[in-house]
Amino acid sequence: QFLGSTEVEQPKGTEVVRDAVRKLKFARHIKKSEGQKTPKVELQISIYGVKILDPKTKEVQHNCQLHRISFCADDKTDKRIFTFICKDSESNKHLCYVFDSEKCVKEITLTIGQAFDLAYRKFLESGGKDVETRKQIAGLQKRIQELETENAELKNKVQDLENQLRITQVHPSPAGSVTPKSPSTDIFDMVPFSPISPQSSTPTRNGTQPPPVPSRSTEIKRDLFGAEPFDPFSCGAGDFPPDIQSKLDEMQEGFKMGLTLEGTVFCLDPLDSRC
């Protein structure tokens, strides 16, 4: 019967084992009072360690490697109890395993001692190579587990980067691209007139079409007094007074001689001799 295992502070010692046995016996009494039975197990003892198996399914419940077992003893006060202390490979804590056997307590204790002797002889024969090989294998297995974890993290990062790349491809925003700017409008929300750009049929911002520009009429219109309006683009030489050219020539000659214009009177100022 397997009473269980409990953590101990020291890897060996009779008092350490007694405290562990006392604790697990008390726990067994509580379980019995609750109607729970103490489980039965099967032990496999070899030069590699002690395996604790289920007697029916042969499933390994605990695998205590021999080089991790630091102490083994039977209880002198209770001939049914034997124990051994093993260091856990994962937590590095010392655990005391306690068993209750009605007949073969001494045989089990001696068998574990013989396993230690055989393992030590094999160690001497191999020159310690076997133990070193196992240490290297254990180190490689741990390294493989670390690399698998790191590989999984890198795969997640790559998947995140691919998702971000797909998002940027769906909504591209190339750097340096210039979006066409709409023409600036005045305070009345109207596009200023440009004589170079032709009239376009683009609707205004409120969605309506601008009114057509009236064509220039060939008919000459007159003002309120019956006079034709002045048009600098359509007037010719005959539209000016007949003596306008002579007036312009006189003004040009006067300017050369030093005339200045004051209102409508021409006056001749004396020329500065220093000029």
Side-chain angles (χ1 to χ4, degrees):
Q1 293 178 341
F2 181 40
L3 274 67
S5 62
T6 182
E7 183 182 354
V8 294
E9 297 180 356
Q10 301 295 329
K12 59 182 179 179
T14 305
E15 293 297 328
V16 175
V17 171
R18 283 179 182 175
D19 292 339
V21 171
R22 192 179 303 112
K23 185 187 298 184
L24 291 175
K25 279 185 175 181
F26 180 74
R28 181 175 65 171
H29 287 307
I30 295 177
K31 290 180 180 179
K32 279 187 176 182
S33 64
E34 295 176 352
Q36 299 182 14
K37 294 182 179 181
T38 304
K40 293 183 179 181
V41 294
E42 179 181 327
L43 297 182
Q44 287 185 358
I45 303 172
S46 67
I47 59 174
Y48 301 109
V50 179
K51 290 183 179 181
I52 304 174
L53 297 83
D54 186 279
K56 295 181 179 180
T57 62
K58 304 300 179 181
E59 181 182 358
V60 179
Q61 298 177 355
H62 300 277
N63 184 13
C64 303
Q65 297 178 352
L66 199 66
H67 67 277
R68 292 184 176 273
I69 297 176
S70 57
F71 189 76
C72 181
D74 53 0
D75 193 349
K76 303 301 180 183
T77 59
D78 190 348
K79 302 298 182 180
R80 298 168 55 97
I81 301 297
F82 76 95
T83 64
F84 64 85
I85 298 176
C86 180
K87 188 176 182 181
D88 186 63
S89 59
E90 296 181 358
S91 62
N92 287 330
K93 296 179 180 180
H94 296 283
L95 302 178
C96 182
Y97 294 82
V98 181
F99 302 88
D100 184 347
S101 179
E102 186 177 355
K103 298 179 180 179
C104 52
V105 172
K106 290 185 178 180
E107 287 80 358
I108 293 174
T109 306
L110 291 175
T111 304
I112 293 176
Q114 291 173 359
F116 272 102
D117 292 337
L118 290 174
Y120 183 67
R121 290 178 185 177
K122 187 175 182 180
F123 172 76
L124 294 177
E125 291 174 359
S126 63
K129 294 180 180 179
D130 189 18
V131 177
E132 292 297 328
T133 302
R134 290 186 181 180
K135 288 183 179 179
Q136 291 178 2
I137 292 174
L140 291 174
Q141 290 177 348
K142 185 177 180 181
R143 181 58 179 165
I144 289 172
Q145 186 176 3
E146 292 175 354
L147 291 174
E148 288 178 351
T149 305
E150 185 179 354
N151 188 23
E153 293 177 355
L154 291 175
K155 284 183 178 179
N156 293 333
K157 291 181 179 179
V158 170
Q159 186 65 33
D160 294 339
L161 291 175
E162 289 179 353
N163 295 335
Q164 293 178 5
L165 183 60
R166 290 193 188 99
I167 294 174
T168 54
Q169 287 178 350
V170 172
H171 303 287
S173 57
S177 62
V178 180
T179 57
K181 295 183 179 180
S182 59
S184 59
T185 57
D186 56 11
I187 59 175
F188 299 104
D189 200 18
M190 299 182 65
V191 179
F193 171 74
S194 176
I196 301 176
S197 60
Q199 294 292 335
S200 62
S201 60
T202 306
T204 57
R205 296 183 62 170
N206 57 5
T208 60
Q209 190 74 16
V213 179
S215 60
R216 193 177 185 89
S217 176
T218 56
E219 182 183 358
I220 299 176
K221 296 182 180 180
R222 300 180 181 275
D223 58 9
L224 183 61
F225 302 99
E228 297 179 1
F230 174 73
D231 189 353
F233 298 100
S234 61
C235 62
D239 298 327
F240 294 98
D243 58 344
I244 188 64
Q245 187 63 40
S246 61
K247 294 288 186 181
L248 292 175
D249 293 340
E250 290 179 4
M251 289 175 64
Q252 187 175 6
E253 291 295 330
F255 287 145
K256 290 181 180 180
M257 297 175 62
L259 290 176
T260 59
L261 182 63
E262 295 182 359
T264 57
V265 181
F266 289 100
C267 63
L268 182 62
D269 295 337
L271 295 174
D272 191 354
S273 60
R274 292 175 297 178
C275 292

